[in-house]
Amino acid sequence: MHHAQDSQHCNLAEREGPQAQREARDGDRAQVPLAKKAEAAATAAMEVSGEGAQSSPQSSQRASIPPTVMGSILGGPSDEASGNQVEQREEPVPPVLDVLRPKISGLVQFLLLKYQRKELTTKAEMLERVIRDPGEHYSLIFSEASQCMRMIFGIGMIELNPFFYSYVLVTSLGLTYDGMMHGTQGVPKTGLMITALFLIFTEGNCITEEKFWSVLNKLGFYAGRDHFIFGEPRKLFTEDFVQEGYLEYRPIPNTDPAQHEFLWGPRAHAETTKMKVLEFFAKATKREPQSYTKMYAEALRDAGERA
C-alpha cells in the first residue's frame, strides 16, 4: 500500500476506534458485495410494498450493479460472528474486480477522509495517492468506489471541472445532515437515513416498526445489536434521526402490546422530495422511476402539492 494511503487509512481507524480498526483488517476478507446489498434492500422494499410484482425475476435486475469490495461494512465479520442467517444469492465476483479489491477499498477510505475534511479531490490525486495505475481500470475502480459512497454512506460526487476532473463530495438528495456525530462518530450515515425514508415511502408514507426491521435485517442491521461500523441502529432510527427531525417515531393507537410506526419528519419534507428518493433507489435497481407505478404517481402528486 502506498505510504500516503496507509497514513490516511490509519488516521481513519484511529478516529473511529477499535471497531473501525477491525473493519480495516477484515475488509478484504468480505465476501458480500456492498452495492448489491443496497440493491437487495431496494428490491426487498419493493416486494414488501407490492411494487416488485411488476417485474419478473429476470427483469428485476438483481445482478445489474457490479459487485464491490466493501461488503464488510454491511455484512462482513459481524454477521458471521453472530450467526445471522441472511440468505445470499450473489453471482460470482468477476476476476477483474477481485484483483482490484484493494484499490477500490482504498479509494473508498480515501474519499471518506476527503469528505470528513471537506476537501476537494481530483483524478490526478486519486491516481497518485491511491490507485497508482493510470491504465484501463481507473474508470471501473472510480465507478465502484463512487457507488459505495452513494448507496451506503449517502455521499455523492459532483464533478466541478471536467477538464481537470475535480470533484466535491456532498450529501445526497439535498439533505444537510450526515449523521457523523451519532452512532460511530466520523462515519457518514446519510445513506441509512435515505433508506429509512425510502422504506416509509414504499409503505404509503407510514411503516410499522416490525416491517421496517424485517427489511433492515436483510442488510445486516438488527435492533439492539451494535453494527460494527455504524453503531447501534435502533438508537439511530428511533432517537438520533428523530431528534434531527428526519423521522417521526410514534406509537400506534389501540395496540397491545404497544407497537410503533415510522413516518417522514418535518426536516425530511423540507429538504428532499419523494421523487428524489424514488429516483435514488430506482437507479440502484437499474429501472426507470416510472416502472414503479404507484410510487411514481405518489411522487408526482407530492411534486404538484409543493408547486
Side-chain angles (χ1 to χ4, degrees):
M1 180 181 289
H2 191 273
H3 175 73
Q5 179 192 350
D6 183 61
S7 175
Q8 298 262 9
H9 191 281
C10 290
N11 288 341
L12 179 63
E14 288 171 2
R15 290 183 186 184
E16 297 171 6
Q19 290 182 332
Q21 294 176 34
R22 286 195 298 273
E23 182 274 335
R25 291 193 299 270
D26 295 333
D28 288 342
R29 295 202 301 269
Q31 298 299 315
V32 182
L34 178 60
K36 289 184 69 61
K37 296 204 78 172
E39 181 187 5
T43 302
M46 294 303 185
E47 291 172 350
V48 168
S49 67
E51 291 276 10
Q54 299 177 46
S55 60
S56 66
Q58 289 75 23
S59 64
S60 65
Q61 301 291 334
R62 292 182 185 275
S64 56
I65 297 179
T68 72
V69 300
M70 291 294 290
S72 57
I73 295 173
L74 285 184
S78 59
D79 278 353
E80 295 173 5
S82 61
N84 297 337
Q85 300 300 313
V86 180
E87 184 180 3
Q88 302 298 337
R89 292 193 181 96
E90 304 295 347
E91 287 72 21
V93 177
V96 65
L97 281 174
D98 199 46
V99 172
L100 297 176
R101 184 183 300 264
K103 291 187 177 181
I104 301 173
S105 176
L107 183 55
V108 171
Q109 293 284 344
F110 177 78
L111 293 174
L112 283 172
L113 282 167
K114 283 292 182 180
Y115 177 75
Q116 291 171 350
R117 296 171 179 174
K118 303 185 184 303
E119 296 175 353
L120 303 180
T121 190
T122 64
K123 177 179 178 179
E125 183 180 36
M126 288 183 278
L127 285 169
E128 178 184 357
R129 302 286 295 275
V130 184
I131 300 175
R132 302 179 65 203
D133 179 7
E136 59 182 294
H137 296 311
Y138 166 78
S139 295
L140 180 57
I141 295 170
F142 178 79
S143 175
E144 288 290 301
S146 299
Q147 179 76 340
C148 284
M149 294 293 293
R150 179 177 180 273
M151 291 305 304
I152 305 307
F153 299 106
I155 304 300
M157 297 184 67
I158 298 177
E159 188 176 48
L160 295 180
N161 189 320
F163 298 103
F164 294 99
Y165 298 99
S166 60
Y167 301 90
V168 62
L169 291 95
V170 299
T171 52
S172 298
L173 306 188
L175 300 172
T176 60
Y177 170 76
D178 54 30
M180 289 201 296
M181 297 305 294
H182 293 131
T184 302
Q185 291 192 9
V187 179
K189 301 172 190 68
T190 314
L192 298 184
M193 186 163 58
I194 292 172
T195 298
L197 296 177
F198 175 73
L199 294 179
I200 294 167
F201 182 21
T202 64
E203 283 297 297
N205 306 315
C206 180
I207 185 172
T208 65
E209 185 172 18
E210 179 182 9
K211 188 168 288 187
F212 179 85
W213 286 110
S214 73
V215 178
L216 267 292
N217 289 170
K218 297 178 186 299
L219 282 175
F221 292 96
Y222 296 84
R225 181 183 301 169
D226 269 4
H227 188 278
F228 77 119
I229 290 297
F230 291 105
E232 206 290 289
R234 189 178 193 281
K235 182 177 184 299
L236 282 172
F237 290 115
T238 64
E239 296 182 29
D240 299 334
F241 294 160
V242 172
Q243 291 172 2
E244 292 293 335
Y246 285 105
L247 296 181
E248 183 180 350
Y249 178 68
R250 69 185 186 188
I252 302 175
N254 304 317
T255 55
D256 185 20
Q259 300 178 32
H260 290 74
E261 58 190 2
F262 290 97
L263 299 86
W264 281 31
R267 192 171 172 185
H269 284 291
E271 292 185 359
T272 193
T273 67
K274 294 176 182 177
M275 186 63 77
K276 289 181 180 179
V277 172
L278 176 58
E279 290 171 346
F280 185 92
F281 277 92
K283 184 176 182 180
T285 54
K286 295 289 184 177
R287 292 175 61 179
E288 293 297 323
Q290 296 90 328
S291 66
Y292 301 112
T293 309
K294 292 186 293 185
M295 296 177 67
Y296 188 73
E298 171 67 19
L300 285 178
R301 285 195 296 270
D302 177 66
E305 292 171 0
R306 290 169 176 264

